[in-house]
């Protein structure tokens, strides 16, 4: 019994409210608000004749009207076209040397700012349209990236590609590193002030030496007598007598401590025929008139062959290669009688094909 009494006492306020509501003919329930519209208080039931003021949530502005609705005796609210639309922020301008990205300029819209390569953003990279109709931060600046003077390796230097004034260097400026002899450069010789405001990796200057160079067969070299040669030191070569130098006249001590490729001396050749006529240096010569009988390496000489079907002669070239001169297979050396008595019938003397 006591339990039931306690329960009735607790429910009494709600029972009284229901009785009071029922006592009235019609009441209005709390109106359902359209998007972004609000009203003051938390009251849930309204008597006929009660006016309620409508307003816009922060970040929105009113459009049309009226701004008030009234509870009628039928328990319904009067009609209104009142609506709230988002506030707009001013159209943004892109930063100098940068870009912006956005879809709209209404309340809670955002703008993302970026800078072109070689520039760094000074300010907010993202801003939002506030309830006040203003952006959360001013347009940022894009300031050009700069580096200090390029670091110099020990025993080295840098040569900039353009005139530098002061201690600040703009993004994109480049230069070339060099080392003072006898030091060699290890790493990238080119330097650049990058978009991060830092220089590319600095190379090193290391001392390099080469052992005494070796001589070449049938040749000589011009070199001072010393046990070590420094980086970029050079040695010249030459050949004895009629030998011909093939390759570079000069070798150089390289970065890896080795000499560049040595040249070689190539031997002369002999035209190994006893009878016949040859074409040498633009002249037709009888072989016995070639004095001395010697061709230098790389020189070309022609012998004469016969086209028996066409009954005509033609010249075939061959080249002296390091002491070897191959006589073309078509060449037929005449007999002594034919050579001495009937020279006008030789392939070199008859009609040429």
């Amino acid at each position: 019994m006591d339990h039931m009494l306690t329960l009735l006492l607790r429910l009494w306020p709600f029972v009284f409210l229901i009785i009071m509501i029922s006592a009235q003919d019609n009441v209005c329930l709390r109106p359902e608000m359209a998007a972004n519209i609000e009203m003051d208080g938390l009251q849930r039931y309204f008597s006929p004749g009660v006016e309620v003021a409508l307003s816009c949530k922060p970040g929105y502005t009113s459009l049309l009207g009226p701004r008030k609705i009234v509870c009628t005796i039928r328990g319904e609210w009067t009609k209104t076209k009142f609506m709230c639309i988002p506030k707009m922020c001013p159209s943004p301008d892109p930063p100098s040397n940068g870009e912006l990205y956005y879809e709209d300029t209404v309340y809670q819209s955002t703008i993302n700012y970026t800078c072109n390569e070689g520039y760094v953003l000074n300010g907010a990279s993202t801003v939002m349209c506030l309830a006040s109709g203003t952006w959360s931060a001013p347009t940022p600046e894009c300031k050009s990236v700069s580096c200090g003077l390029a670091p110099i390796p020990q025993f080295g230097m840098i040569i900039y590609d353009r005139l530098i004034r002061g201690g600040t260097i703009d993004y994109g400026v480049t230069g070339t590193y060099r080392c003072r002899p006898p030091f060699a450069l290890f790493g990238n010789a080119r330097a650049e002030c990058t978009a991060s405001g830092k220089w590319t990796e600095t190379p090193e200057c290391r001392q390099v030496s080469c052992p005494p160079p070796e001589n070449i067969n049938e040749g000589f070299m011009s070199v001072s007598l010393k046990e070590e040669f420094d980086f970029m030191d050079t040695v010249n070569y030459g050949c004895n007598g009629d030998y011909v130098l093939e390759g570079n006249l000069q070798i150089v001590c390289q970065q890896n401590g080795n000499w560049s490729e040595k040249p070689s001396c190539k031997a002369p050749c002999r035209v190994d025929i006893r009878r016949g006529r040859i074409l040498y240096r633009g002249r037709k010569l009888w072989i016995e008139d070639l004095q001395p009988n010697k061709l230098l390496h790389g020189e070309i000489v022609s012998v004469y062959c016969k086209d028996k079907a066409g009954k005509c002669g033609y010249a075939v070239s061959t080249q002296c290669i390091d002491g070897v001169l191959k006589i073309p297979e078509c060449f037929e050396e005449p007999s002594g009688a034919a050579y001495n008595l009937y020279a006008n019938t030789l392939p070199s003397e008859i009609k040429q094909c």
Side-chain angles (χ1 to χ4, degrees):
M1 188 68 177
D2 292 339
H3 177 72
M4 291 296 295
L5 182 61
T6 302
L7 181 61
L8 287 172
L9 290 173
R10 288 182 178 177
L11 294 176
W12 174 248
F14 300 99
V15 174
F16 178 77
L17 180 61
I18 293 172
I19 294 172
M20 291 298 293
I21 293 172
S22 299
Q24 299 181 22
D25 293 336
N26 292 299
V27 295
C28 294
L29 299 177
R30 186 179 182 87
E32 294 184 4
M33 299 290 103
N36 307 315
I37 299 176
E38 62 183 5
M39 56 179 283
D40 292 336
L42 299 175
Q43 187 175 341
R44 297 180 60 189
Y45 301 99
F46 298 85
S47 300
V50 173
E51 290 185 350
V52 172
L54 305 178
S55 60
C56 292
K57 292 180 179 179
Y60 296 85
T61 186
S62 60
L63 186 67
L64 303 177
R67 291 173 180 250
K68 291 182 180 181
I69 54 176
V70 180
C71 178
T72 67
I73 59 173
R74 295 189 302 274
E76 296 176 352
W77 293 102
T78 56
K79 303 296 183 182
T80 180
K81 294 183 179 180
F82 183 77
M83 60 186 298
C84 296
I85 60 174
K87 288 185 179 180
M88 295 189 66
C89 287
S91 296
D93 294 320
S96 180
N97 301 306
E99 296 180 356
L100 52 78
Y101 305 90
Y102 69 97
E103 294 183 356
D104 208 338
T105 58
V106 298
Y107 171 57
Q108 293 186 324
S109 297
T110 58
I111 301 174
N112 293 317
Y113 291 97
T114 60
C115 291
N116 299 337
E117 187 177 17
Y119 293 85
V120 63
L121 197 72
N122 182 28
S125 61
T126 301
V127 297
M128 178 181 287
C129 182
L130 302 177
S132 61
T134 59
W135 294 105
S136 58
T139 303
E141 294 181 88
C142 288
K143 293 188 175 180
S144 63
V145 171
S146 62
C147 302
L149 295 174
I152 306 297
Q154 189 178 15
F155 310 113
M157 67 181 73
I158 186 170
I159 301 173
Y160 295 107
D161 293 339
R162 70 186 194 195
L163 184 63
I164 300 299
R165 299 182 185 276
T168 301
I169 296 178
D170 293 335
Y171 157 75
V173 171
T174 54
T176 303
Y177 282 108
R178 292 183 183 174
C179 295
R180 297 196 297 270
F183 294 89
L185 189 137
F186 289 82
N188 192 352
R190 294 291 293 166
E192 181 180 6
C193 175
T194 66
S196 66
K198 297 180 180 179
W199 286 94
T200 48
E201 188 174 356
T202 306
E204 295 181 70
C205 292
R206 303 177 197 164
Q207 190 166 7
V208 172
S209 61
C210 293
E214 298 178 352
N215 204 353
I216 55 177
N217 294 332
E218 300 297 336
F220 57 89
M221 57 182 178
S222 59
V223 60
S224 58
L225 298 176
K226 54 182 180 178
E227 294 184 358
E228 283 190 348
F229 291 78
D230 293 328
F231 172 62
M232 294 304 291
D233 277 352
T234 58
V235 172
N236 292 333
Y237 283 93
C239 291
N240 301 324
D242 292 326
Y243 282 79
V244 174
L245 191 78
E246 184 170 88
N248 292 323
L249 171 69
Q250 188 178 80
I251 62 172
V252 60
C253 178
Q254 301 176 117
Q255 186 183 44
N256 59 7
N258 297 322
W259 292 97
S260 58
E261 187 176 0
K262 297 191 301 292
S264 58
C265 292
K266 304 298 184 182
C269 300
R270 175 181 173 80
V271 183
D272 197 17
I273 63 175
R274 291 179 299 164
R275 293 179 290 274
R277 208 169 187 186
I278 61 172
L279 180 63
Y280 177 58
R281 294 183 179 178
R283 295 173 56 209
K284 290 177 72 172
L285 297 173
W286 298 105
I287 188 63
E288 58 266 23
D289 293 332
L290 181 62
Q291 296 295 332
N293 187 333
K294 185 183 295 182
L295 301 182
L296 298 180
H297 168 74
E299 285 194 307
I300 295 176
V301 66
S302 297
V303 297
Y304 287 87
C305 298
K306 185 175 182 179
D307 182 347
K308 294 178 181 179
K311 297 181 180 181
C312 57
Y314 59 95
V316 180
S317 298
T318 182
Q319 187 176 28
C320 173
I321 303 295
D322 194 19
V324 177
L325 182 75
K326 293 183 178 180
I327 302 301
E329 293 181 359
C330 66
F331 175 77
E332 295 180 2
E333 190 169 290
S335 64
Y339 185 65
N340 292 316
L341 299 177
Y342 305 103
N344 60 338
T345 64
L346 298 179
S348 59
E349 308 308 309
I350 62 176
K351 180 183 72 171
Q352 297 300 290
C353 299

